[in-house]
Amino acid sequence: MTKMKSVLDSPLIKNFSEVTKRELFAEVPDEWFLFFSDVKNSTEAIRSGNYKSVNVVGASSIMATLNAVAGGEIAYVFGGDGATFLIPPQHRAKVERALRASHTLAQEKFNLQLRIGRVPVSDLKKQGFDLQLARLQSTGRSPQYVFSGTALLEAERWVKSPATDNSYLVNEEGDIADADFTGLECRWQPIPSQNGEIVTILVHSQVASAGTPVLYSTVIDAVNRIYGEAAPIQVRQLKVAKQFRQYEAEAKVRSKALWAYQFTTFLITNVGVTVLEMLKSKFWSKYKQDVVSQTDHRKFDGTLRMVLDGNSSQRRELESFLESFRIKGALVYGIHASPSALMTCLVSNRQDDHLHFLDGSSGGYVEAAIQMKEQLKTAH
């Protein structure tokens, strides 16, 4: 593995298919930490119609972390109901505080329990697990990251252990923690599928590490062959939210003055967009194009995660392909179809520093994860 002066300066992956190239990854230093945030019982929440809340709570933990280390680069991957972070030791205390505040936000504003975990990378390496990091090219100012290695799934198991003395859980008690959630936005309508369904897939390799890059490369090639490489959304599909209630989730995160923030944001957004469209604003046109190009619909954190737009025939073809490899014991997977996609946004500024998380509107990543975990129970 290439030794870097800084793991955050690892070579830039220019095409997503290159996430299978080990030479583009750098080893994560032993003194770093893996942090996790995830909504407990997220399955019950989404099946009660609260998936948007689950999505927003997960994204809020990222926004709080980024703001806590303002000026410092943080590697993370969004997972639908939470996120995985790689944190250098100098940021540990600030990140713990931000994530504890995210836990409080989830509980008090959304009636959800956000679990927070912290695993030293050194603990994982002592047990023989490996962890690497690479940068993925983004059209925005901030790079996106991809993780690799056997440590991620194992660390998640440790965090979710039912042991009452689980040392990998961050204590949620103690002094009152606060965080800055500025930049978290939820201002787009659900984005309907252009072709019939929004498909969310998860794929996790079960082959020996030497064969894993080839397996993932084969899966990515199959996805591109079946669905193409285009983003699952297009500019013409982007419509700002027109209903007052659609601004409630953002208001819960961003302000104690819930109604005032909700009303102001609703009014300014809709009036502002109407004016920009009447004036045929070049800025507004470019911003929407940037939203599409900076949509986080393909990611890798030891598990391949994708949001696709297609029809049921394409989904069945992909499912048949993945099932043939699962039967051989090569992988486990989850796949879920929704009628539309939900977008949750991190906006530091609208010029060049914004990222947009995409997920299926009726469960997406969480539902796909349920299927994959069931397969893991019986995997060889």
Side-chain angles (χ1 to χ4, degrees), residues 153-175:
L153 199 59
E154 186 64 21
E156 185 180 352
R157 289 193 187 103
W158 294 0
V159 168
K160 294 183 178 180
S161 168
T164 55
D165 61 345
N166 187 347
S167 61
Y168 296 111
L169 286 175
V170 172
N171 187 358
E172 297 154 357
E173 307 301 326
D175 62 310

Side-chain angles (χ1 to χ4, degrees), residues 274-347:
T274 299
V275 171
L276 289 172
E277 289 180 344
M278 288 176 60
L279 296 175
K280 297 182 179 180
S281 165
K282 291 183 179 179
F283 166 79
W284 179 236
S285 176
K286 181 181 183 302
Y287 179 70
K288 288 192 292 183
Q289 291 171 358
D290 288 346
V291 168
V292 171
S293 63
Q294 292 168 219
T295 294
D296 182 39
H297 65 280
R298 297 179 298 178
K299 57 197 88 182
F300 186 73
D301 60 353
T303 296
L304 182 64
R305 304 171 186 267
M306 290 185 170
V307 178
L308 311 166
D309 189 345
N311 56 50
S312 58
S313 295
Q314 290 171 300
R315 172 170 48 83
R316 286 193 295 269
E317 182 179 354
L318 177 60
E319 207 160 8
S320 177
F321 171 86
L322 294 174
E323 184 65 12
S324 68
F325 279 83
R326 186 195 69 81
I327 291 171
K328 297 174 187 175
L331 57 78
V332 289
Y333 69 93
I335 187 165
H336 183 263
S338 302
S340 58
L342 291 180
M343 184 181 283
T344 306
C345 309
L346 306 184
V347 183

Side-chain angles (χ1 to χ4, degrees), residues 5 24 78 82 99 114 188 281-282 290 301 331-332 374:
K5 182 178 180 181
L24 296 180
F78 176 65
L99 292 177
L114 186 68
W188 298 106
S281 165
K282 291 183 179 179
D290 288 346
D301 60 353
L331 57 78
V332 289
E374 285 299 315

